[in-house]
Amino acid sequence: GTSDGSYVPPLLPGASGAADRLVPVVLDVKGIGASRYVTELTLANLGAAPLALELVYTATAQFGGGSGTVPLTLAAGEQRVVASAIDFLRAGGLAIPGGGANAAGSLLVKAPSGTAPADLFAGARTYTGSTVREGTFGVFYPGLTLAEAANGTAWVHGLQQNDAMRSNLAFVNCGDAGPVTLRVTFFGAAGQALADSEEWTLAP
């Protein structure tokens, strides 16, 4: 009904480093009218033994508190789809505001030390229901390991804003190097730097 489609990247073997994966944002926030945006979380254990995970939620400053950790164990070979990440974390004991309040934050999926990166998958789909037809509109994004995160200049292509659409851009500090200061510069279609670059300092 909505022709909604999300690109789900493959999990490639052979990666090195820690298996922990950072999902940049999980949320439950009000949209236009009666709509809400909700994040569905997908976790998979591709290993031959159970994985005792820790889901570490860090709330954004503008959407209340509730930061904390919820344990979750995946059986060998298990894939689990959590319909609402925020509801799951709240049910796990985190003091995330309820009653229709907006909630959003990053989610670090921590694996036991020594877990191979190829044994753990974490990804999220944030979506909203259509108000004109049956179905949903959403976007899928994977959780990244520290080795996959940027440690210098990073380019994001294809951003646009017009009468029909607007790109949203999110930044998360993985926390391995303390606070980081980001300078964001926008470039036009011809490659020219645009005015009014922005700068933020992000805590871990």
Side-chain angles (χ1 to χ4, degrees):
T2 60
S3 297
D4 178 37
S6 291
Y7 293 99
V8 182
L11 181 62
L12 302 177
S16 60
D20 301 348
R21 294 186 175 271
L22 180 64
V23 178
V25 65
V26 294
L27 54 81
D28 181 352
V29 301
K30 186 180 185 321
I32 296 174
S35 68
R36 290 194 73 84
Y37 286 86
V38 177
T39 300
E40 175 187 88
L41 180 67
T42 298
L43 302 168
N45 173 9
L46 287 84
L51 268 184
L53 305 174
E54 292 183 337
L55 307 184
V56 184
Y57 175 72
T58 303
T60 62
Q62 68 264 42
F63 287 142
S67 299
T69 301
V70 173
L72 172 67
T73 297
L74 294 179
E78 180 183 359
Q79 175 177 279
R80 188 176 304 188
V81 179
V82 177
S84 170
I86 294 294
D87 285 348
F88 181 85
L89 294 169
R90 190 184 289 119
L94 300 192
I96 300 172
N102 289 336
S106 62
L107 186 69
L108 178 63
V109 181
K110 292 183 65 68
S113 178
T115 302
D119 284 349
L120 173 63
F121 174 82
R125 179 176 182 265
T126 293
Y127 67 93
T128 187
S130 171
T131 58
V132 295
R133 63 188 70 183
E134 186 177 355
T136 61
F137 297 100
V139 60
F140 186 92
Y141 41 96
L144 300 180
T145 65
L146 186 60
E148 295 170 311
N151 62 2
T153 299
W155 289 87
V156 179
H157 297 279
L159 301 178
Q160 57 180 303
Q161 181 169 317
N162 52 47
D163 292 341
M165 66 183 69
R166 181 190 67 210
S167 299
N168 293 305
L169 191 60
F171 305 95
V172 178
N173 178 357
C174 293
D176 59 306
V180 295
T181 298
L182 303 178
R183 175 176 293 275
V184 181
T185 303
F186 300 96
F187 293 83
Q192 75 280 19
L194 304 178
D196 301 324
S197 60
E198 301 181 18
E199 189 171 290
W200 304 284
T201 297
L202 300 182

